[in-house]
DNA sequence: AATGAATGAGGGTTCATTCAT
DNA sequence: GATGAATGAACCCTCATTCAT
């Protein structure tokens, strides 16, 4: 998943151990840092702790990243691989009906992002946005906007094929985004702290949410009689 | 309920004017602290800054709150509205149909929480949950669960009256919660950092979202034929 | 001597002790810092040590000076009081002959600068010039150049009154400056490290030097016959 | 005399070319170190930088010098010329008059020390004396004192031959030393930082200084009437 | 011998907290 | 009660030094 990890991955070959470790270092550090930043936030994470979790000393961390802030930025960059082109292609070739496409989209998002450690990044950025506005802007540009364009393209396909009826594209897009954000924040914030007498199964939630949204999007003749927005206040 | 409220003695009593400022101190500190904690997070907020914004000296802050952490907890307690009883009553007496009730519920949430400074608390808690698990648990208990019970009651009413068809109560509840969480995080995190070429109108978004969800909830004879969730279980 | 010291000087009045200490702090810190910087150089002086010598904690130092570098700059500024105007005036009114004037000038320099702790500043700046080029330039501007103008004025007076014969004004000025620099470096560098089997008496050295220079400057008819410089030009 | 010289084996022997670089290592390191120590001082010079400038790795530096401090001492030892015997011989054979001898002495000092990189050592030692008292003492012993003996011998020759009249031998010696120290400190400290609107030509300065001093030393019948030092003793 | 990755003690700086006034 | 000067623990970061390769 991570470029660095990938490089470091060739591990059982005959190679000087020192050499191999050197190549693996940045990846190990970024790994450790991701966990800790997600868990405790930027400020509460101590550089030494990151180093320790990566199995190196404090000094080594600063051998690879010039400052804690740069480490943070590297963590973000590392985990934002622009996978959107690939996904676009994948959806370009999708042949089923659009409701299935949306279901697949959300399922795939969960499997590849939501359920993976990458989701921590979103939590991290949302939590630290105000302290790292440039990172936030970068993320907006590199992740949020491409993601929303992808969703919008699916919705548009549904509309074009007469499958969906969408009153407001922008807000429909947010409707699909919201449960993802919600899920991530649950997973990494409240959910991590709360006794599990009731735990949500994210996959079921995603499915349930997809169906609920779909019922809303599905075009039907009688839909016109429902009070649509536009009613909308102020 | 709130310890801090108790200390501050802020009721609607009639107090001598000259006593006013002194009595108001803790409230002003909590106010300032809320703003700063929401804006920068717990760790990045300096005690002195809070004091300065409240117009008092650093020492005074510690006169009212024994530590920064206690200040944080007081901020949370102070701003966690225990208004659910009141809202329960309000909805108990609601006489319209349930779709209107849900619309009204979301609208009212936006007006009283989402649009007000109280929304900052949610952002704060979600961001800091991992560092303050007891606060998170407290919030879960005092806010999230009552809130969800309220929503669930509305949904149940719709089901009971034959207006809604809800396959899974829990996840339907989350469907209504998610856009609220999403809205708050946008408002206080990313949204605060990103150039406003496209800004969402939260009220319109809430409306749009309500309608989308409603379309999903609305009971109709043919609905049974839609593939329900449970389908793509892993 | 120091502005801050002067302010702090009003010490036996009835004043809150805390208040008084606050006013005295910067001066005490600058005092301690001067000693240590002169003794050990900038890098080898630890902030904590400065604080300790001033009788305060490390944190207090940074209450008054935002960084070690700013402390250094403050030490330099503090000790470079532009006394040259005052000295100019003093010499303007001088009524004796110019040889006496030069003798007086060097004597006074020794008493007021060379023998005082202010001389440490010169040593400090000369030693650290390469690491603080802006400080060096500042010193050049504020101290060296005014000092040399003063000396040059004296020499010019001697020439104008027919007492001196000066072939090259610039280099004559350096001839007077050199023993001062020499004396300071001896005092604060080598001299401080070397067993005192032979110690120079600075005052006698200054006198001796003055006489030697004066013999060189004294205009006499036969001087023309001495081989002047210009001879062994490269 | 020099330990480092011994290690480096740098004599004028004919060595195999391929061995050359290896054998030259310590010398190259000392060279680089001298430059950097002179430029930035001991503390501000980083071991890695020295190694880099010498074209080797950090580890190699510590292969030849057990510590940075030992490197410093080696730099000093290496560059402290024990040339005084040679110079003594040279001056023993000098046949001109003593004023010319003094002129020659200062000129030669400038050419061989002042103008060369060797002058950096003096700056270095003067700047770092307090942190390396043993080095300072060593320098005093090995350089300053032999140098002063040499000067004193010249002065004595002048006195013996009736060319000079010297009231105080010690201070006269310092009079000749001072401009050299002054010149070195200018060259390596202030002078390196200051805009060159006025730059001194060291050779001319040395000449000028020699003439000024000579005028002071030259014995003449009327000299007795000048107020000698001893006058304004405190 | 040479390398350069790794170490960790050391020092500058911050800031919550204390306490004399 | 209120103040703000003082404190010192904690943390980031540097860099001389070590050592496996």
């Amino acid at each position: 998943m991570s470029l660095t990890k990938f490089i470091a991955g060739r591990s059982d070959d005959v190679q000087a151990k020192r050499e191999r470790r050197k190549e693996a270092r940045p990846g190990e550090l970024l790994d450790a840092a991701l966990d800790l930043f997600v868990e405790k936030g930027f400020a509460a994470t101590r550089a030494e702790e990151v180093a320790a979790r990566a199995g190196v000393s404090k000094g080594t961390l600063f051998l690879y990243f010039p400052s804690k802030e740069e480490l943070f930025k590297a963590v973000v960059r590392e985990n934002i691989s622009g996978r959107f082109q690939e996904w676009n292609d994948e959806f370009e070739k999708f042949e089923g009906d659009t409701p299935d496409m949306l279901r697949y989209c959300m399922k795939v998002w969960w499997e590849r992002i939501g359920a993976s450690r990458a989701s921590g990044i979103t939590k991290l950025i949302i939590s630290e946005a105000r302290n790292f506005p440039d990172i936030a802007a970068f993320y907006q540009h590199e992740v949020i906007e491409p993601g929303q364009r992808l969703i919008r393209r699916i919705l548009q396909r549904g509309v074009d094929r007469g499958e969906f009826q969408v009153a407001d594209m922008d807000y429909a897009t947010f409707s699909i985004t919201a449960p993802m954000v919600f899920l991530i924040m649950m997973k990494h914030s409240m959910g991590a702290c709360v006794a599990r007498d009731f735990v949500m199964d994210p996959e079921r939630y995603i499915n349930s949410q997809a169906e609920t949204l779909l019922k809303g999007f599905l075009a039907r003749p009688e839909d016109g009689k429902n009070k649509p927005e536009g009613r909308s206040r102020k």
Side-chain angles (χ1 to χ4, degrees), chain A:
Chain A
M1 159 179 296
S2 105
L3 180 59
T4 330
K5 235 173 192 165
F6 174 74
I7 291 171
R10 48 193 174 113
S11 34
D12 4 64
D13 45 13
V14 262
Q15 200 180 164
K17 200 207 265 167
R18 179 68 75 90
E19 194 70 15
R20 192 170 71 247
R21 299 192 73 194
K22 185 202 169 184
E23 303 230 322
R25 278 290 120 82
E28 291 165 6
L29 285 163
L30 289 170
D31 248 37
L34 173 57
D35 283 353
L36 286 165
F37 283 147
V38 169
E39 189 179 323
K40 318 167 75 150
F42 176 78
T45 297
R46 278 172 314 164
E48 191 158 21
E49 218 178 336
V50 173
R53 185 173 292 207
V56 299
S57 75
K58 198 176 16 170
T60 303
L61 171 61
F62 291 96
L63 222 53
Y64 294 96
F65 303 94
S67 72
K68 191 183 166 188
E69 190 157 336
E70 284 308 314
L71 172 65
F72 180 85
K73 292 183 177 179
V75 166
V76 173
R77 271 187 232 106
E78 168 79 6
N79 288 279
I80 299 175
S81 35
R83 255 182 301 204
F84 291 102
Q85 188 52 48
E86 172 195 340
W87 288 5
N88 275 335
D89 297 348
E90 194 173 339
F91 285 103
E92 215 70 68
K93 291 182 227 126
F94 194 92
E95 298 197 333
D97 62 11
T98 313
D100 272 346
M101 195 173 171
L102 188 62
R103 285 182 192 103
Y104 178 67
C105 170
M106 292 178 79
K107 177 174 133 71
V108 145
W109 172 86
W110 172 251
E111 286 168 7
R112 301 189 195 169
I113 302 287
S116 84
R117 280 179 51 243
S119 63
I121 280 295
T122 304
K123 190 266 175 175
L124 190 48
I125 287 169
I126 288 179
S127 293
E128 303 287 344
R130 301 288 285 258
N131 292 320
F132 297 90
D134 51 332
I135 291 270
F138 174 74
Y139 190 77
Q140 172 80 13
H141 237 63
E142 297 295 318
V143 178
I144 296 181
E145 284 169 12
Q148 297 205 329
R149 277 196 294 273
L150 182 58
I151 292 171
R152 183 187 283 258
R153 203 161 306 135
I154 295 172
L155 289 175
Q156 191 60 51
R157 181 184 190 265
V159 169
D160 292 345
R161 294 169 48 141
E163 293 163 308
F164 288 172
Q165 183 194 9
V166 175
D168 186 315
M169 249 340 184
D170 290 326
Y171 294 135
T173 306
F174 287 136
S175 305
I176 296 165
T177 311
M180 299 176 179
V181 169
F182 178 74
L183 221 40
I184 284 176
M185 297 321 278
M186 282 308 98
K187 178 178 173 186
H188 291 289
S189 294
M190 298 303 302
C193 306
V194 163
R196 299 312 171 90
D197 48 338
F198 170 73
V199 220
M200 122 178 46
D201 171 356
E203 226 165 316
R204 270 192 69 209
Y205 169 65
I206 282 284
N207 288 335
S208 152
Q209 186 61 22
E211 297 312 319
T212 305
L213 291 172
L214 277 175
K215 282 198 236 160
F217 292 150
L218 289 177
R220 252 168 284 145
E222 330 87 88
D223 271 350
K225 78 176 185 219
N226 278 330
K227 315 162 202 155
E229 67 274 39
R231 224 171 45 84
S232 45
R233 241 43 46 72
K234 186 176 70 183

